[in-house]
Structures are given as C-alpha cells and as structure tokens.
Amino acid sequence: MLANLFGGFQKLKIQHQIILLVLLSALIPAAVVGSLATISASSSLAKDSKATLQDEAKDEAKAIEAFLSGAGRDVLFFSSTPPVQGLLRAEANGGVDPQDQSSDDEWRERLEISFLNMLEAKSEYQKLRYIDETGQEIIRVERDNIERDQIRVVPNAELQDKADRPYYSETMKLAAGDIYVSPVALQREEGVVFEPYQPEIHYATPIEDAAGNQQGLVVASVFAGEFLNKLAGDEGEKFEDEERLVVNQDGYYLLHPNAEKAWGFDLGKEETLATDFTPAVAEQILSTDSGTIDTGDSILAYQKLLLSEAQSDAVIVIDQVPKSVVFASVNSFKLFASLAVLISLGLVVPLAILRGRQLVDLLARLAGNISTSTQEMATTIAEQERIASQQAASVNETTTTMDELEASSRHAAEQAAAAVVAAKQAAASSDKGSLAVGESLEGMFTLEQKVDSIADQIVTLSGQANQIGSISQLVIDFANQTNMLALNSSVEAVRAGEHGKGFAVVANEIRKLADQSQQSADKINTLVSEIQKSINETVMVTEEGTKTVKVGVQSAKRTEEAFGEVKEAVNQVVLNNQQVSLNLKQQVNAIEQVVGAMEVIDQGAKETASGLSETKQGTQQLNEAALGLQQMV
C-alpha cells in the first residue's frame, strides 16, 4: 500500500508534489500540536477545577469549625466562673458559701443570669444547663425552638434527670478542662424526636470543687441547624448546579437537597452514602480526610472535620458538581482550539499553494542559473586545483627547509649549552683564583707587619749595641786607670822596700788584669762595630724588603681587582650564554611548531586539491541535476 502511494507520488510533477507536501506539512503538525495542546490544557483546567472544588469544601469545613469552636470555649468559661464555684462551696457547707456568706439560692440566681446573658448574646445556643454529679438538672436556661427570641429560666418543677443521657455519662469520665462533643442529632424530648426537627449538638465539661472532686457538669446545646442552613444556601457556591451534602462519620446524611434523606439514623431510614453512591466511594470518603472522586457523571469534593480531637465523631462536607459543569471551560477550550486550527488551516493552505507555485517558478529560473553557474564553477575549480597542487609542492619544499633549519638550530642550541657549561667552569676557576689572591694578599699583609716588627727590633738592637760600645769604652777607661794605679802601686812598693814586695805582687797582678780587661774591651768594641755595621746593612735590607712587600701588596690588590672584573665578565658571559641557549630552545620550539603547521598546511593543501577534484565531480553532477531539474519543472 505504502509502495503504491509512494510510486504514485513520484509520478506527479514536482510542483504538484510540493503543493501536496505543503498541505500535509500544514495539516499534520497543526493536528498533532493542536491535539497535544488541547489535551495538556484540558488536563490543567481539570486539575484547577478539582482544586477549586476541593478548596471550596475546605472553606466550608472551616466555617463549621469556626461556628462550633466557640461553644467549647464557653462551657470551659462557665465551669470556672464564680457563680459555679460559689454554688459548689455553698452546697458543700450546708447551703451557705463560707467565703462571702451567700446562699446557694443567691449563687443559683447569679448563674441563671450568666446563662441568660449568654443566650441573648449568641443566637446559636438552644440550652445552657448546670447538672449535678447525680445527673439532676440544677439550672436550665433555654430558647424556644419556634420563637427564637423567647428565652426562659426553666422552673425547678420542670427540671429533669439526665443521668441516662450519653453526654452526661461520657462527660463524667473526663478530667477537668476536657470537653465532650456529642454527635449531631435531632433534638429529643423524653426520648422522642422533637417536631419540627431541630438538629443539635452538645458541648459539656466536668466541674470540680476545690478538692478536685467532680461535682457535676456544664452543658451547652447548640442549634446545629444554624450552620447546616448556611451550607444549604447559595453562599460560597462557585459552580452551577452544585449540590452540598453533609454526612456524619457513619455516612448518614445531616444535610441533603432532598430533605427526606436527612437524619436517617434518628428517623429509622437507611439513606446513606453507600445507597446513593457505590460502597467503594462511600468507604473512601469516610476513611480519608479530604479528596476528590470522579463518579462518572459528577465530581465529588469532600473534607472531614473532627468535632473533637479526643473523639472520633466527625462531620464530612461533600460538594457534588456535574462533570459537564466542572469541565465546561475545558470543553469550551477544546471547541475554541479546534476552530482556531481549522481557521488557521483555511488561511494558511491557500497562501501555501500560491507560494508553492511561486517557488516552482523560482526553482525553474534557479535551475537555469545553476546550470550556467556550474559550468563556470567547473572552469574555476580546475584552475584552483592546479594552483592548489602548486601550493602543495611549495609547502613541501618549505617543510623540508624548515626541517633543515630545525636541525641547525638544535645544533646551535647544543653548542650554546656547552658554552654555558664552559662559562660556568671559567666562573668557578675565577672564583678559585680570586680566593687564592685574597689568601696571598692576606699573607703579604702579615709579612709586611712582620718586616715592620723586625725593623723595629733591629733599631732596638742597634741602640743596645751602642750601649754595649759605651760600656766597653768605660771598661777601657777603667782598665787604663787601674793600670795607672797598679803602676803607682809598684812604685810605692819599691819605695817601701822589703815591706812592699807583697803589695808589688798584687799591683802587678792588677796591672795584668787591667791589660786583659783593656784587650777584652777592645775586642768588644771591634765586635760592636761589626754588629753595628751588620745592623745597618740589615736595616737597609729590611727597608728594601718593606718596600718590596708594599709593592707586592699593591700588585696583589690590583690582581684581586682584576680577578673580580674577570669574575663579573665571566658571570655576564654565563648569563648571555644562558639567554642565548634559552632563545635557541625557543627558536627550536617555534621551528618545530612551524614545521608542524607546515605539515598541517601540506596535508590541508593535499586535502584541498583532493576536495577540489571531488568538487569538480560534484559540480559536474550538479550541472547534470540542474538539467534534470529543468526537465522535471
């Protein structure tokens, strides 16, 4: 089937094919997009409608809660008011309150006044009662069921025993401060349902005396019909034909558009959620707190409200709306979307056909132009192919040259690296020479100091030699004088004759000693003269040595400075060689990059030449296609 359709489509002329494709390209996307948009929008609108319905049910439940929560606060208030506590004290003390001496009747009147004031202030209260621990009513103030503005204090004769009522027995089980809330039910008198029907709900809390003993309870009976009537009205409804239902925790109706179905548990009728809907729907509503249910022809939105957190009694507000009403906006949108798609296609398709024909004419002209242009392109491409081949050869030669340049630069880089190593060795040798010159210079400074010290010692020695000469001269003088004295002694000894012979011998010995001393002194003088001469020569040699040392020190300093300059020069050579080596490495890297780029260019040139060949073939094929297109159009 598809093959036949495709074959028939190919037999059409191209202008008819384009028109058909334009129609299909407009119809199919419009239908698909419109359907998806309609489905998406319908789903969104449905969710919004259900959410609106659910919010409405929640608001109604909150309204019931707000209506009933005040009763719990009021019974707690009355359980701790002075009249209740005073009445308890009076009853426990024989009828008189020991605190202010008020009687139990006086406290009862005060409590009755408080109850009257509350009923006058709040029209939803039907009764307020104080019941003692036995179940007997002590005070009851009530509103007339028919004439609501009539309020009365019930006489003692009409007060009843409520010990059998569930609200009494359940409340007496609670602790002070807790509240019992009864299920919503029809009002009964003496066990019989009161007519006309009056739904009510009881709020009760136990009363304890000062010792903590339960002494009764306070009960507030509330007209449940007040909030049920508000819910039954049109106030707050957001959907047309919406029906509002209220059921208790067992599924019995408290409110229904058909009044015959309400209060079945009080009137013995079995009209429940399960009878009007399926048991599954009733079970879901009664077992969950809130939600929405699609029953097929309507949507149910429900919200549960517990009358007391400590009890399971609850009321459930249900809003029932026909699906046609809930999805009215969805259906309107679907209709609008369908009309919009059809109108859009009605406007687009004729324009598309017109533009398609114009496009076919344009294609015919383009086919002729393409045929002419492809022939010119073929000639140009052939010329470009020849130029690309020449470029590829040139690039190949350039690549070879760059390879040689890379090898040369790499060799130069290696030589520069070797020069850096040699320069570093020269720098190290210069450092050693500079260190040796420094050490020599320090030795010359030490030698100079020692030569100066020797010169000073020689000068001192020369002075000491002069002192020895002086002493030697004194010895010569002393020897001469001794010799003269010895001579004189010999003369005197001769004069003395025989008595002076011993003295003459002594004098002769003294003269010999004097001669020996003179000879020794002469030798000392001669030795001192030689020492003095040697000292003078030593002084001269020392001065020459000092001059030579100073010259050597200056030469060493100049040598040290020269080595410092050599070191700086060598360091500069090292830096220059390092920079040259780095530059050569960068040049080698750059040449490698250029070689790589040239290889890429070479490859590109080859690919360009190949591509031009393929383009040439493609141009020829395009020329043939243009000729074929001219024939088809």
Side-chain angles (χ1 to χ4, degrees):
M1 182 67 180
L2 290 175
N4 294 333
L5 289 175
F6 186 71
F9 178 77
Q10 285 185 322
K11 292 179 181 178
L12 296 175
K13 294 193 70 175
I14 192 168
Q15 58 180 337
H16 297 150
Q17 292 179 11
I18 291 175
I19 293 173
L20 182 59
L21 288 174
V22 168
L23 289 173
L24 293 176
S25 64
L27 287 171
I28 293 174
V32 172
V33 173
S35 300
L36 291 176
T38 302
I39 293 171
S40 177
S42 300
S43 177
S44 178
L45 289 173
K47 289 180 180 179
D48 290 342
S49 299
K50 290 181 178 180
T52 301
L53 196 59
Q54 182 65 42
D55 291 340
E56 184 178 348
K58 289 181 180 180
D59 292 340
E60 292 158 0
K62 288 180 180 179
I64 295 175
E65 183 179 13
F67 179 84
L68 298 176
S69 61
R73 293 192 296 269
D74 288 341
V75 295
L76 286 176
F77 167 75
F78 279 118
S79 67
S80 59
T81 55
V84 171
Q85 296 301 319
L87 184 58
L88 292 177
R89 290 193 299 270
E91 290 176 349
N93 196 41
V96 178
D97 185 359
Q99 290 188 1
D100 61 359
Q101 302 304 313
S102 297
S103 65
D104 54 356
D105 292 335
E106 291 174 336
W107 281 120
R108 189 178 290 108
E109 290 176 0
R110 294 172 189 174
L111 184 57
E112 290 172 353
I113 293 172
S114 298
F115 284 172
L116 284 170
N117 291 334
M118 180 62 70
L119 263 66
E120 290 174 355
K122 296 186 177 182
S123 60
E124 64 267 22
Y125 285 134
Q126 197 270 330
K127 295 186 185 77
L128 286 175
R129 287 174 285 183
Y130 168 57
I131 302 175
D132 65 13
E133 68 277 12
T134 64
Q136 177 63 40
E137 291 182 331
I138 303 301
I139 298 173
R140 184 174 78 199
V141 179
E142 63 183 9
R143 186 189 305 275
D144 189 81
N145 288 324
I146 306 302
E147 300 294 333
R148 294 289 182 87
D149 57 343
Q150 301 295 322
I151 302 172
R152 72 182 185 114
V153 178
V154 177
N156 292 336
E158 298 180 17
L159 297 177
Q160 301 175 2
D161 185 357
K162 302 295 183 180
D164 60 339
R165 300 302 170 90
Y167 62 80
Y168 170 79
S169 58
E170 294 297 328
T171 304
M172 293 301 290
K173 298 176 183 178
L174 302 178
D178 293 337
I179 299 175
Y180 168 79
V181 183
S182 72
V184 179
L186 294 179
Q187 183 178 349
R188 295 173 180 271
E189 290 293 341
E190 301 295 337
V192 179
V193 174
F194 183 83
E195 293 186 7
Y197 302 146
Q198 295 292 342
E200 66 178 356
I201 183 172
H202 301 293
Y203 282 78
T205 187
I207 300 173
E208 293 183 352
D209 58 16
N213 300 317
Q214 286 192 354
Q215 300 295 328
L217 63 152
V218 174
V219 183
S221 300
V222 181
F223 285 119
E226 291 285 331
F227 66 82
L228 294 176
N229 292 334
K230 289 182 180 180
L231 292 176
D234 294 333
E235 182 181 355
E237 292 187 2
K238 296 182 180 179
F239 292 95
E240 185 180 358
D241 298 331
E242 177 180 348
E243 293 183 350
R244 188 157 296 142
L245 313 174
V246 180
V247 299
N248 63 10
Q249 71 275 7
D250 297 322
Y252 286 96
Y253 290 110
L254 305 180
L255 175 67
H256 195 282
N258 183 0
E260 296 294 328
K261 293 186 176 184
W263 311 109
F265 58 95
D266 278 327
L267 303 177
K269 297 182 292 184
E270 292 299 327
E271 297 288 344
T272 65
L273 278 175
T275 58
D276 284 352
F277 302 97
T278 64
V281 170
E283 176 64 21
Q284 181 176 347
I285 292 176
L286 296 177
S287 61
T288 56
D289 293 334
S290 62
T292 57
I293 301 175
D294 187 347
T295 62
D297 57 352
S298 62
I299 299 295
L300 300 179
Y302 62 93
Q303 179 69 39
K304 180 183 290 187
L305 172 64
L306 290 175
L307 298 178
S308 173
E309 295 182 357
Q311 300 166 214
S312 61
D313 294 328
V315 294
I316 303 166
V317 179
I318 305 171
D319 285 330
Q320 181 179 8
V321 184
K323 288 180 68 174
S324 59
V325 175
V326 175
F327 297 113
S329 58
V330 177
N331 296 329
S332 299
F333 175 78
K334 289 180 179 178
L335 178 61
F336 175 78
S338 301
L339 292 175
V341 170
L342 292 175
I343 294 171
S344 298
L345 291 176
L347 294 175
V348 171
V349 170
L351 291 175
I353 294 173
L354 176 62
R355 296 299 293 171
R357 290 177 178 175
Q358 293 175 351
L359 179 61
V360 170
D361 295 337
L362 178 61
L363 288 175
R365 291 194 299 271
L366 287 176
N369 294 334
I370 290 171
S371 179
T372 303
S373 299
T374 51
Q375 293 177 357
E376 296 175 354
M377 288 172 61
T379 303
T380 303
I381 289 171
E383 182 65 20
Q384 289 179 351
E385 184 178 10
R386 183 183 62 80
I387 294 172
S389 299
Q390 293 177 352
Q391 288 178 348
S394 299
V395 168
N396 192 16
E397 293 176 359
T398 304
T399 302
T400 304
T401 303
M402 293 304 295
D403 288 335
E404 295 175 356
L405 180 59
E406 179 187 5
S408 177
S409 296
R410 192 178 301 280
H411 182 65
E414 293 174 354
Q415 290 178 343
V420 170
V421 174
K424 289 182 177 179
Q425 292 176 353
S429 298
S430 176
D431 290 337
K432 292 179 181 179
S434 179
L435 180 61
V437 170
E439 292 175 353
S440 298
L441 185 59
E442 290 179 359
M444 294 296 286
F445 281 134
T446 304
L447 179 59
E448 183 181 10
Q449 293 173 358
K450 289 182 178 180
V451 170
D452 290 339
S453 177
I454 291 170
D456 292 338
Q457 293 295 329
I458 290 172
V459 172
T460 303
L461 182 60
S462 177
Q464 291 175 351
N466 290 331
Q467 290 178 3
I468 293 171
S470 298
I471 295 170
S472 178
Q473 187 64 40
L474 289 175
V475 171
I476 292 171
D477 292 341
F478 180 73
N480 289 332
Q481 290 177 5
T482 303
N483 193 18
M484 289 298 292
L485 289 174
L487 183 60
N488 289 332
S489 296
S490 296
V491 174
E492 291 296 330
V494 172
R495 287 179 182 180
E498 199 63 34
H499 294 289
K501 288 181 179 180
F503 186 72
V505 175
V506 173
N508 188 32
E509 292 295 329
I510 292 173
R511 185 173 54 80
K512 289 179 180 180
L513 289 174
D515 290 337
Q516 290 177 0
S517 297
Q518 185 175 6
Q519 291 175 3
S520 299
D522 289 337
K523 291 179 179 181
I524 290 171
N525 284 333
T526 301
L527 183 59
V528 168
S529 297
E530 292 177 357
I531 291 173
Q532 188 69 40
K533 183 179 179 181
S534 299
I535 288 173
N536 291 333
E537 291 176 357
T538 302
V539 169
M540 293 176 64
V541 172
T542 302
E543 288 179 353
E544 291 296 329
T546 301
K547 292 178 181 179
T548 302
V549 169
K550 290 182 178 178
V551 172
V553 169
Q554 293 177 356
S555 298
K557 288 183 177 179
R558 288 194 294 272
T559 303
E560 184 181 21
E561 292 175 356
F563 270 111
E565 294 176 357
V566 169
K567 181 180 179 181
E568 291 179 358
V570 170
N571 289 335
Q572 186 64 36
V573 169
V574 171
L575 293 176
N576 292 336
N577 286 335
Q578 288 178 344
Q579 186 64 38
V580 169
S581 178
L582 179 61
N583 292 336
L584 286 174
K585 288 181 180 178
Q586 292 177 349
Q587 289 176 3
V588 170
N589 293 334
I591 290 171
E592 289 177 351
Q593 293 177 358
V594 171
V595 169
M598 293 302 295
E599 290 176 353
V600 173
I601 293 173
D602 187 16
Q603 183 66 27
K606 293 178 180 178
E607 292 177 358
T608 300
S610 176
L612 288 173
S613 298
E614 294 177 359
T615 303
K616 183 178 179 180
Q617 296 176 0
T619 304
Q620 293 174 354
Q621 294 175 358
L622 180 62
N623 190 17
E624 295 174 358
L627 294 175
L629 181 62
Q630 284 180 331
Q631 295 175 357
M632 293 174 65
V633 173

